[in-house]
Amino acid sequence: MKLKRAMLAACALALALPVCAAGEEESAEEALLPQGVSISVDVTEAGGSHLELPEAVLEAAQDGQTTEDTALDAEEDPVAALNALIRERLGVDEALQVSQRAGAQIMQTARVYDDGKLASIALLWEGTQADGLDGCSVRTLALDLATGGEIGFDALFDDPAAAVSHMEAIIGAEIVDGLSDYMEYADLLPMPQDCFSFDENGLTVYYPEERYRYFDEKSGAVHFAWFEIAAWIGEESPVYALSRAQEADGDALVEQLSTGRFPGAMGAAAVGDGLGDVLGRLTLLADPDYTDSAKVYLFEEPELRGFAVEIPKYAETADADTPVSAIRCARIAMYGLETGASLRSDVLALLGEPSAFLTYDGGDAADAMLEPGESVFYGMGDFVLEVHFDAQDVLSCLILHDAMPEGLY
């Protein structure tokens, strides 16, 4: 199907049903969809004007069939019903219609989590919107792959109201207070609950662009790591297994950090990466901040809240050519360590006695972009881990350095 005057990053949605082994029989009493149903979204750079969709969807579109029409087949064909749900939630029919308007330009990119039991899809739609205006929006859909049923926001939590109250407190304390005065669209409270996605790293909530929009004109979002909301996720939640913390493992922690990189979403950059390469992959949030010895770069990606990379303040090379000298994480849980929860005693039990100590009073802490408290240092292969505690001896920040800071040899 050729779509004129539209530039599209094609989003191909495909459902794959497992094949029953010989001799197996399926009972009519079984779940709507067999175990193991998987959803994949392939995003390609179309480079022209061609939109790829499943053949069944294309045939329906060509016949003028609507989502409501295909929904009528739900009892007879659950896969068709699931396709209809995907089409509705992700705006497939709307995109097809918009793309045929004169001058329309659409760019769609998708992020998908699929572990064989759950699927979560977030589709970023930039350019000409369904109302004909230029803008940005996000469409999401979460599915239980055993039943084909949609997973709603409230189903994630034992007490949704309490969970939302906690998340809004995080937004107010850690995001709203730090937003630039020049940001035109920054209405983050109350938090929306109708547009979200999840993966192994946590839960992301998306805002309509008229409420929260980044400087690059993309719709804003807030990410919550699982450890931040795990207290409100019970055993009946579909994401319970995802939300459970890793077991304490000092050897695994040392092995991970010896690569120069934190795990999970916080592994977006490694110590030693060229800053130019990092800035090419990630979206800079604002101009760099400064400590007394480093330039500190923060990023727009919602999953990187609390993450920053550093380069020396007085490097002899151009910034883009300078290797990253340190990476800091003020929001992370890994192998038994958790910012905001782990105590000094937990760290010593996991990693043993540190090789160096450094106390930060109010002025020193401000100069280092840390809370007043104390840091302890551990060797991690070719790197050095700084573990910073606040005044109550609670883990506040982890910083992975390329070498022991000056004066602590």
Side-chain angles (χ1 to χ4, degrees):
M1 175 183 293
K2 295 295 183 180
L3 303 176
K4 299 180 180 179
R5 294 179 293 277
M7 297 181 64
L8 303 168
C11 177
L13 305 177
L15 289 174
L17 290 174
V19 177
C20 293
E24 287 186 354
E25 294 183 1
E26 294 190 34
S27 168
E29 300 294 323
E30 291 186 54
L32 178 64
L33 294 177
Q35 291 288 341
V37 173
S38 64
I39 291 180
S40 63
V41 175
D42 301 318
V43 179
T44 63
E45 294 299 332
S49 56
H50 184 69
L51 178 65
E52 294 182 46
L53 292 168
E55 289 186 7
V57 173
L58 286 176
E59 291 171 0
Q62 289 171 332
D63 294 341
Q65 197 172 2
T66 67
T67 300
E68 289 76 11
D69 294 332
T70 56
L72 297 177
D73 299 330
E75 294 184 2
E76 298 179 4
D77 189 346
V79 176
L82 189 51
N83 265 319
L85 179 62
I86 292 172
R87 289 175 61 190
E88 177 187 356
R89 290 289 188 271
L90 301 187
V92 172
D93 295 328
E94 293 174 294
L96 287 169
Q97 294 169 4
V98 171
S99 66
Q100 297 183 57
R101 298 176 184 171
Q105 293 188 344
I106 302 174
M107 177 66 73
Q108 294 188 332
T109 52
R111 298 182 65 177
V112 177
Y113 173 76
D114 174 7
D115 62 9
K117 298 179 180 179
L118 306 173
S120 179
I121 307 169
L123 183 69
L124 177 68
W125 179 341
E126 299 175 86
T128 309
Q129 300 294 299
D131 60 6
L133 300 177
D134 191 61
C136 179
S137 61
V138 179
R139 311 292 181 95
T140 63
L141 176 62
L143 294 167
D144 180 335
L145 296 180
T147 66
E150 183 174 4
I151 299 172
F153 184 88
D154 285 357
L156 303 178
F157 304 101
D158 284 349
D159 186 340
V164 169
S165 178
H166 174 69
M167 288 187 278
E168 289 184 341
I170 291 176
I171 292 171
E174 299 189 18
I175 301 176
V176 172
D177 291 345
L179 291 175
S180 169
D181 293 336
Y182 297 101
M183 186 169 283
E184 183 178 1
Y185 300 94
D187 178 19
L188 276 75
L189 296 172
M191 183 189 79
Q193 301 169 43
D194 58 350
C195 192
F196 68 92
S197 68
F198 56 78
D199 61 17
E200 65 274 16
N201 296 310
L203 173 71
T204 302
V205 175
Y206 303 90
Y207 286 76
E209 63 172 348
E210 64 271 16
R211 287 193 55 195
Y212 183 27
R213 188 188 306 174
Y214 299 129
F215 286 117
D216 65 1
E217 299 299 315
K218 290 184 180 179
S219 299
V222 176
H223 179 269
F224 300 94
W226 288 124
F227 75 88
E228 295 182 285
I229 54 178
W232 289 267
I233 298 174
E235 295 185 11
E236 299 303 314
S237 169
V239 296
Y240 176 77
L242 285 173
S243 68
R244 297 306 94 184
Q246 292 174 313
E247 294 183 1
D249 190 334
D251 292 338
L253 177 62
V254 172
E255 182 179 358
Q256 171 67 53
L257 297 184
S258 294
T259 67
R261 188 186 300 272
F262 286 97
M266 298 302 176
V271 177
D273 285 353
L275 179 64
D277 293 335
V278 175
L279 297 181
R281 298 194 304 269
L282 305 176
T283 307
L284 195 61
L285 179 64
D287 292 335
D289 212 330
Y290 295 87
T291 68
D292 55 357
S293 61
K295 292 182 179 180
V296 182
Y297 295 80
L298 292 88
F299 301 96
E300 184 179 280
E301 283 75 11
E303 63 271 21
L304 297 184
R305 174 165 55 90
F307 172 92
V309 303
E310 301 180 6
I311 62 171
K313 191 173 183 178
Y314 303 109
E316 296 180 357
T317 53
D319 286 358
D321 298 327
T322 303
V324 170
S325 57
I327 294 176
R328 59 172 65 201
C329 289
R331 185 182 68 113
I332 191 169
M334 59 175 185
Y335 304 112
L337 294 185
E338 182 180 315
T339 52
S342 296
L343 303 176
R344 177 189 292 268
S345 57
D346 298 321
V347 174
L348 295 182
L350 190 67
L351 295 176
E353 289 297 320
S355 58
F357 301 81
L358 182 60
T359 299
Y360 293 87
D361 62 20
D364 293 335
D367 289 342
M369 294 178 60
L370 293 169
E371 296 181 82
E374 185 180 51
S375 286
V376 297
F377 296 81
Y378 295 91
M380 296 284 160
D382 295 331
F383 308 97
V384 175
L385 177 66
E386 178 178 358
V387 183
H388 184 70
F389 304 100
D390 64 17
Q392 286 72 47
D393 278 346
V394 177
L395 176 60
S396 173
C397 186
L398 297 172
I399 307 177
L400 191 60
H401 297 270
D402 61 357
M404 187 71 77
E406 188 175 350
L408 294 179
Y409 297 100

